[in-house]
Amino acid sequence: MTDTSLARVHYFDRQFLRTQDFVAEQAYHVGMRRRHNIAAHLWGIVTGLDVVVTDNRPIVQPGFAIDGYGRELVLSQGQPIDVRKFDQLGSDILEVWLTYDQVPAEPAPRGYVVRCNDDAASQYRTQEVGRVDAHLPNRYVVV
C-alpha cells in the first residue's frame, strides 16, 4: 500500500487535466501547509483573539490561531458572544472556543454551473474561517 497524501500532480506538455487533478493539487498544498503549521509551530493563538467587553457585551477581537490539526483559524472581524448563552447554560462563566469551518465565498458566474440543484457545484470559492462559540467550562467539545 502506498501513501498518496504526499503525492502531487506531475505536469507535462499537452497533458489533459481533469477536475480530480486540480482537487489533488489543492489537497497536496493544503495538507503540506497544515503539516508545516503543526510540525514547525505550536498550535494555539498566534495573534489577537482577545475577549473584550464593550457596552456590556463580550466581543472576541479579530485574530489568528492554529488548531491541533494544523488548520488556520482566521477571525477577520470582531465577533460578539451572545449574552443570552449565559442564561441558557445557567452559568456566569463560559469558555470561548474558536473552531474551524468552511463557508461558500463566491458563487459561480452565470452559465458556469454544470449540475442542477447541486450546491457544491454552484460555488467557485470556499473560505476557511474561525467560528466563535461559548460553552460551559470543563465541557469537552468535539470539533
Side-chain angles (χ1 to χ4, degrees):
M1 180 166 76
T2 61
D3 182 7
T4 59
S5 64
L6 295 178
R8 59 188 172 101
V9 178
H10 172 74
Y11 296 104
F12 53 89
D13 288 340
R14 298 188 180 138
Q15 180 178 10
F16 180 74
L17 295 172
R18 303 160 297 169
T19 300
Q20 62 220 46
D21 296 320
F22 293 103
V23 170
E25 179 77 5
Q26 285 284 310
Y28 172 80
H29 287 287
V30 168
M32 292 304 281
R33 188 180 74 230
R34 290 180 181 167
R35 285 180 188 91
H36 169 82
N37 285 343
I38 208 66
H41 307 284
L42 296 174
W43 62 271
I45 295 173
V46 176
T47 187
L49 302 175
D50 297 314
V51 178
V52 299
V53 178
T54 304
D55 298 326
N56 291 324
R57 191 164 191 192
I59 298 173
V60 179
Q61 294 296 318
F64 178 75
I66 305 288
D67 73 6
Y69 298 102
R71 298 177 299 195
E72 297 160 353
L73 308 173
V74 178
L75 196 62
S76 58
Q77 54 187 328
Q79 179 73 40
I81 299 168
D82 188 356
V83 293
R84 294 176 294 184
K85 276 269 202 179
F86 291 97
D87 291 333
Q88 290 169 355
L89 297 173
S91 178
D92 59 347
I93 298 173
L94 297 177
E95 289 182 351
V96 177
W97 290 72
L98 185 63
T99 58
Y100 174 84
D101 198 6
Q102 293 182 9
V103 296
E106 183 180 323
R110 184 182 181 117
Y112 280 81
V113 177
V114 179
R115 300 178 201 130
C116 297
N117 300 322
D118 186 350
D119 290 337
S122 67
Q123 293 299 318
Y124 255 35
R125 304 282 186 268
T126 298
Q127 185 175 9
E128 297 173 304
V129 297
R131 180 112 21 231
V132 173
D133 201 4
H135 301 276
L136 289 171
N138 300 320
R139 183 175 179 180
Y140 293 101
V141 178
V142 177
V143 181

